[in-house]
Amino acid sequence: MELHELTMHQALAAMRRGELTSVELTEAILARIEAVEPKTRAYLTVTAERALEAARQADALRAAGEERPLLGLPIAIKDNLSTRGVETTCASRILEGYVPPFDATVVERLKAAGAVILGKTNMDEFAMGSSTENSAFFPTHNPWDLERVPGGSSGGSAAAVAAGEALAALGTDTGGSVRQPASLCGLVGVRPTYGRCSRYGLIAFASSLDQPGPLTRDVRDAALLMEVMAGHDPRDATTWREPVPDYVAALGEGDLHGLRVGVPKEYFVEGVEAAVEQAVRSAIETLADLGAEIVEVSLPHSETGLPVYYLIAPAEASANLARFDGIRYGYRAEARTLEELYFRTRGEGFGPEVKRRIMLGTYALSAGYYDAYYRKAQQVRTLIRRDFDRAFEQVDVIVGPTSPVTAFRLGERTDDPLQMYLADIFTLSQALAGIPALSLPCGFDEAGLPIGLQIAAPVLREATMFRVAYAYEQATTWHERRPTL
Ligand code: GLN
């Protein structure tokens, strides 16, 4: 196996045995980036010098007998997570040239755990999108088929890991942006419980939904990264104080006896590709073979997830994005008056999808419409959460497809925002409910494109979710495939 194909835990083991150094590994990844980046375009910024310096430091620490959970592992960061001294743009013109003077908490934790940061990955502008085509700079290509999208909005992170341009990456998930690209790129992607990981330094899209999460090549790597990322942060009052469990220890032995797996009858609906439905159904059989009891459950408000999300997320976005006015950060247009400065900066700085969301959100919040739209959406959000509460009285996890379709072609959905929004039909409601969910590979379609299985768990039950995912992964080989580039 080549160095760029290693999982994090394989690379760590090799480094701990003294068979590999972080500098060797980082050089191999940087060479891989150089070789395949013209095809994938996964990165907005590669910080090669910084990465090599961090790798040298990691090797020195290890030589001095010091171990850390991620010591010497090259990892990429989505460009909406603030990185001290490194440009952070959210793939938006309005933040071009913005260099944060601080690290996001999750980035700080990765660095403290010894990770080598490779650079910043491409994304849909302000994380609004499902294909990475809304990047203001360029689209990213799916390593499994370069004419197709990697998903989004964390598409750069997903493509980088799938293509061997990082061992793992951080993404963010507001309504599916870690899980959907993980599904489309054949990776494991985790959306943690809302508040399990700090949002400090994550440039806000929809604050009641945003969560950072890992994208990795297997479940063990996801558990390892989550252990480092998760935990209380005094700088984010929405983080949980509950101690972070040992997720790696919770992976277990692959036996699922005594575990109840819920399958919502609402998840196999029109619009789900045949290959996806087949792969997910056969994954459910595998879980049964491993000892799990399969239980049909109902989430009656599933179909309200999309309209509720597309009222609440834009409403929050319209408020959060008000701060980008050309005064304090990033891009500033030429103007003679203050008003003209605002108009032109925002008019030129934001792309079409961001403007659409700001307008939708401003409308939903405006006097006269607030009760009909925003308040109503909040009420239905409560019903969605109660659906899950009720289902989790009967089962330990809920499974289904992550995405109704495999990777679609670049350009195929860009003209129709609703088609694009439908890409997240299965990932929005867990986010609205604040529960954890992950995606992992469960098959390939006839064209050789990856399919993802989604596993959701109750609040703070990530360990159960990892245990089920790990058991499935141990029983299958999907996660061992790598795209040929
Ligand atoms: N695709 C969804 C949207 O466009 C979700 C994005 C996300 O999770 N950041 O809003």
Side-chain angles (χ1 to χ4, degrees):
M1 202 188 286
E2 298 200 54
L3 290 180
H4 66 256
E5 293 180 317
L6 294 175
T7 62
M8 289 186 352
H9 61 86
Q10 287 167 338
L12 257 186
M15 288 192 288
R16 287 176 180 167
R17 284 195 302 265
E19 297 165 9
L20 176 68
T21 66
S22 177
V23 168
E24 284 164 354
L25 181 60
T26 304
E27 279 174 348
I29 301 294
L30 290 171
R32 177 73 176 171
I33 292 174
E34 197 133 310
V36 302
E37 190 55 23
K39 298 179 184 171
T40 60
R41 309 220 68 190
Y43 280 92
L44 290 172
T45 308
V46 178
T47 50
E49 280 314 311
R50 282 171 182 262
L52 286 169
E53 180 51 36
R56 280 190 286 270
Q57 280 178 22
D59 286 335
L61 279 175
R62 183 164 275 124
E66 193 169 330
E67 261 312 325
R68 293 184 189 177
L70 306 176
L71 191 59
L73 295 174
I75 295 176
I77 308 286
K78 186 177 181 181
D79 207 33
N80 59 350
L81 290 163
S82 304
T83 40
R84 183 159 46 93
V86 177
E87 192 178 356
T88 298
T89 67
C90 286
S92 182
R93 294 265 171 228
I94 211 153
L95 277 174
E96 229 177 333
Y98 169 62
V99 178
F102 63 99
D103 278 323
T105 296
V106 287
V107 172
E108 192 174 66
R109 289 191 184 192
L110 253 60
K111 286 183 177 173
V116 169
I117 307 299
L118 293 160
K120 307 299 293 287
T121 55
N122 198 16
M123 55 185 282
D124 287 299
E125 185 175 359
F126 281 101
M128 297 172 187
S130 308
S131 68
T132 315
E133 291 165 296
N134 292 337
S135 168
F137 304 118
F138 45 80
T140 294
H141 300 252
N142 190 316
W144 293 91
D145 177 347
L146 295 171
E147 281 167 19
R148 293 177 186 268
V149 303
S153 65
S154 312
S157 289
V161 179
E165 299 178 76
L167 263 58
L170 296 195
T172 63
D173 190 308
T174 303
S177 280
V178 167
R179 292 163 288 159
Q180 186 258 10
S183 177
L184 270 48
C185 288
L187 302 172
V188 176
V190 181
R191 173 186 174 86
T193 302
Y194 180 77
R196 182 75 286 193
C197 295
S198 170
R199 290 179 293 110
Y200 178 77
L202 158 55
I203 298 175
F205 162 10
S207 306
S208 78
L209 295 157
D210 296 340
Q211 263 299 288
L215 287 127
T216 60
R217 298 204 176 112
D218 69 8
V219 176
R220 179 176 295 272
D221 278 2
L224 200 62
L225 258 182
M226 270 296 293
E227 257 174 55
V228 171
M229 295 168 68
H232 180 252
D233 179 6
R235 293 172 299 191
D236 175 358
T238 63
T239 51
W240 294 84
R241 288 178 182 274
E242 272 67 11
V244 178
D246 184 337
Y247 295 127
V248 175
L251 295 177
E253 309 288 317
D255 178 30
L256 295 181
H257 280 94
L259 209 116
R260 293 156 308 165
V261 172
V263 180
K265 54 181 183 217
E266 292 82 2
Y267 279 11
F268 295 98
V269 289
E270 223 180 305
V272 180
E273 277 176 4
V276 172
E277 170 156 0
Q278 211 187 329
V280 170
R281 288 205 188 274
S282 99
I284 293 166
E285 279 170 33
T286 303
L287 295 176
D289 293 341
L290 293 165
E293 183 193 339
I294 309 299
V295 181
E296 187 183 82
V297 295
S298 178
L299 300 170
H301 296 91
S302 290
E303 59 177 27
T304 64
L306 190 105
V308 168
Y309 175 88
Y310 279 99
L311 286 166
I312 291 175
E316 294 184 18
S318 71
N320 275 327
L321 271 55
R323 75 191 69 175
F324 303 107
D325 55 9
I327 306 295
R328 281 168 298 181
Y329 324 91
Y331 178 74
R332 176 181 299 176
E334 296 285 328
R336 280 157 302 152
T337 65
L338 184 62
E339 197 177 351
E340 191 186 333
L341 177 75
Y342 290 152
F343 271 109
R344 294 194 53 183
T345 298
R346 289 170 66 85
E348 292 162 21
F350 289 135
E353 183 60 29
V354 175
K355 287 178 186 162
R356 181 178 297 120
R357 305 280 179 115
I358 291 172
M359 287 189 282
L360 278 172
T362 305
Y363 183 81
L365 290 175
S366 57
Y369 295 103
Y370 182 91
D371 285 335
Y373 293 110
Y374 185 73
R375 187 190 302 279
K376 187 58 74 186
Q378 291 291 13
Q379 288 166 338
V380 182
R381 182 177 189 176
T382 302
L383 298 178
I384 292 171
R385 191 182 299 125
R386 286 193 192 146
D387 277 0
F388 280 107
D389 289 346
R390 230 164 266 141
F392 284 128
E393 285 169 12
Q394 298 173 59
V395 295
D396 300 292
V397 294
I398 291 176
V399 303
T402 306
S403 163
V405 298
T406 53
F408 43 94
R409 286 182 192 284
L410 283 147
E412 193 179 305
R413 296 188 181 211
T414 39
D415 296 336
D416 184 350
L418 190 58
Q419 276 306 311
M420 195 64 91
Y421 297 172
L422 283 166
D424 297 301
I425 189 91
F426 293 130
T427 52
L428 299 171
S429 56
Q430 302 83 356
L432 289 163
I435 60 173
L438 66 71
S439 181
L440 86 166
C442 73
F444 289 81
D445 70 5
E446 315 76 52
L449 300 168
I451 299 171
L453 174 74
Q454 184 170 215
I455 305 174
V459 165
L460 295 181
R461 293 294 167 77
E462 280 85 357
T464 314
M465 184 173 91
F466 283 133
R467 180 181 156 210
V468 177
Y470 186 69
Y472 177 78
E473 189 181 77
Q474 292 299 293
T476 55
T477 56
W478 310 117
H479 63 289
E480 289 167 10
R481 291 205 203 172
R482 301 280 183 269
T484 43
L485 263 168

